């Protein structure tokens, strides 16, 4: 498939990136683990663009480390400029209101999610929740993990550029996290 032509992308995807996009769009729960710098962000954005182009815009929450918010905004503006992407700003009430009433794509940090979801909230269900640097969720007793489990979603994608220790427990733990919202 020629994603560049079909989706009017600014650059062609590499073959392994096309494979990553196809993997994401064909799975409601997916863990995309690859070395840093190989384009997981781009693969995710192209996957969303493909799905949204075919099926219409979906309510999406992207949770990232604070240091990566501006990178995600920049990559969306380059690879999917037609999509309205918001970030959570303001006080807690304002952020909760943004989440509750959003009908597009919102980027939030793990810390914001931990604070917002420290108590049960009626934010509604997201069609897609995407966790960047998903290894942050490995500790099942952490506040971040517990808060993220409260998010309701039909589809969960996780991205990790940090090599997991060659240990079955780590891999099983991340795959079990994919059961969020179900």
């Amino acid at each position: 498939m020629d994603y560049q032509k079909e989706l009017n992308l600014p650059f062609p995807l590499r073959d392994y990136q096309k494979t990553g996009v196809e993997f994401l769009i064909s799975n409601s729960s997916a863990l995309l683990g690859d070395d840093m710098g190989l384009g997981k962000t781009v693969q995710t954005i192209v996957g969303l663009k493909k799905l949204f182009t075919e099926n219409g815009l979906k309510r999406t929450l992207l949770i990232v480390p604070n240091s990566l918010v501006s990178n995600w905004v920049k990559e969306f503006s380059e690879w999917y400029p037609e999509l309205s992407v918001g970030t959570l700003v303001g006080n807690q009430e304002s952020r909760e209101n943004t989440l509750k009433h959003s009908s597009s794509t919102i980027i939030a940090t793990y810390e914001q999610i931990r604070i917002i979801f420290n108590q049960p909230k009626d934010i509604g269900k997201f069609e897609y929740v995407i966790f960047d640097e998903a290894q942050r969720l490995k500790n099942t007793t952490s506040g971040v993990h517990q808060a993220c489990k409260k998010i309701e979603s039909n589809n969960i994608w996780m991205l990790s550029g940090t090599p997991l220790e060659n240990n079955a427990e780590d891999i099983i733990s991340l795959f079990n996290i994919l059961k969020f919202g179900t």
Side-chain angles (χ1 to χ4, degrees), residues 10-25:
F11 306 104
L13 296 177
R14 299 184 192 291
D15 288 341
Y16 71 87
Q17 291 173 319
K18 291 177 190 176
T19 301
V21 169
E22 290 162 12
F23 171 72
L24 289 172
I25 65 176

Side-chain angles (χ1 to χ4, degrees), residues 7-149:
L7 299 174
N8 193 29
L9 300 178
F11 306 104
L13 296 177
R14 299 184 192 291
D15 288 341
Y16 71 87
Q17 291 173 319
K18 291 177 190 176
T19 301
V21 169
E22 290 162 12
F23 171 72
L24 289 172
I25 65 176
S26 63
N27 288 283
S28 62
S29 294
L31 171 61
L32 184 61
D34 210 343
D35 289 330
M36 291 178 65
L38 294 181
K40 291 177 298 301
T41 303
V42 168
Q43 292 170 65
T44 302
I45 293 169
V46 172
L48 290 174
K49 188 170 187 175
K50 171 82 171 145
L51 290 169
F52 294 175
T53 299
E54 291 177 353
N55 305 315
L57 188 61
K58 304 293 182 196
R59 185 169 139 88
T60 302
L61 176 61
L62 179 61
I63 304 169
V64 307
N66 189 46
S67 62
L68 296 180
V69 171
S70 60
N71 182 64
W72 275 94
V73 170
K74 176 182 161 281
E75 294 292 348
F76 268 109
S77 71
E78 185 167 6
W79 290 88
Y80 195 178
E82 310 85 4
L83 182 66
S84 172
V85 176
T87 57
L88 285 187
V89 294
N91 63 26
Q92 184 169 343
E93 182 180 343
S94 173
R95 293 188 305 244
E96 288 176 17
N97 201 29
T98 298
L99 282 176
K100 186 172 187 169
H101 298 290
S102 169
S103 59
S104 184
T105 299
I106 297 291
I107 300 172
T109 68
Y110 282 100
E111 291 74 23
Q112 290 171 325
I113 295 301
R114 181 185 52 77
I115 292 167
I116 290 170
F117 286 95
N118 68 353
Q119 299 292 321
K121 299 285 186 232
D122 181 20
I123 299 295
K125 194 171 197 171
F126 292 89
E127 187 64 29
Y128 292 91
V129 173
I130 301 163
F131 297 96
D132 190 11
E133 300 298 335
Q135 69 276 3
R136 294 263 326 252
L137 300 171
K138 275 180 26 177
N139 180 354
T140 59
T141 62
S142 73
V144 167
H145 179 97
Q146 295 302 315
C148 288
K149 281 198 70 114

